[in-house]
């Protein structure tokens, strides 16, 4: 049985980045097994971007595309809008979803905050709100509603 699979990432389509290379390798493996696999990156979703708004805007843009697939792999927070609005986009819950992330974001955020403190500096309120409150909440919302992690 051949599946239609969508892999979504908020990173650019750049083989030099570990995240994209990993997704691309998975797609190539699955295609060799006879599945149809599409990869969607942040650049595919929006031509004009304000990167700091990506956690809010990219998931909203990708959500309507998901219902054409059997399986969707969301990288990090990209699944929150689809999962929140699933009853409209996939009322029968036919599409299976996976949220995948490498888990380094919290470690990076803590190390950055510690380094700023060590230097007597403070992260901006906007940065703290986005990366310490909003993004973790969006990631958690996607994880709780995914079929697998």
């Amino acid at each position: 049985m051949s599946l239609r699979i969508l892999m979504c990432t908020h990173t650019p389509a750049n083989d030099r980045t570990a995240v994209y290379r990993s997704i691309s390798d998975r797609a190539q493996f699955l295609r060799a097994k006879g599945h149809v696999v599409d990869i969607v990156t942040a650049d595919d979703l929006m031509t004009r971007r304000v990167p700091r708004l990506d956690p809010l805007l990219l998931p909203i843009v990708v959500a309507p595309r998901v219902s054409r697939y059997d399986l969707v792999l969301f990288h990090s927070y990209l699944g929150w809008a689809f999962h929140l609005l699933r009853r409209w986009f996939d009322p029968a819950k036919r599409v299976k979803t996976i949220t995948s992330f490498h888990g380094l974001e919290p470690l990076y955020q803590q190390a950055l905050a510690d380094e700023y403190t060590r230097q007597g500096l403070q992260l901006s309120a906007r940065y703290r709100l986005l990366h310490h409150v909003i993004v973790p909440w969006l990631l958690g919302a996607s994880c709780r509603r995914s079929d697998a992690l």
Side-chain angles (χ1 to χ4, degrees), residues 24-38:
S24 184
D25 289 348
R26 287 183 210 167
Q28 184 177 3
F29 174 83
L30 290 166
R31 287 177 187 130
K33 299 290 184 187
H35 302 291
V36 175
V37 183
D38 295 329

Side-chain angles (χ1 to χ4, degrees), residues 69-137:
Y69 295 89
D70 302 306
L71 176 66
V72 179
L73 173 72
F74 291 112
H75 175 228
S76 190
Y77 55 75
L78 276 178
W80 73 261
F82 172 76
H83 289 114
L84 186 68
L85 303 170
R86 189 173 205 160
R87 71 178 83 149
W88 290 283
F89 294 125
D90 182 33
K93 288 190 115 181
R94 186 192 60 76
V95 178
K96 298 302 176 199
T97 62
I98 300 170
T99 296
S100 173
F101 56 100
H102 44 77
L104 295 176
E105 294 95 339
L107 298 174
Y108 171 77
Q109 298 302 332
Q110 186 59 53
L112 185 65
D114 292 347
E115 181 61 21
Y116 265 62
T117 300
R118 189 183 70 71
Q119 293 181 21
L121 302 171
Q122 188 175 19
L123 294 166
S124 72
R126 182 178 67 202
Y127 185 91
R128 290 192 319 268
L129 176 65
L130 181 63
H131 293 286
H132 295 174
V133 178
I134 294 172
V135 170
W137 186 85

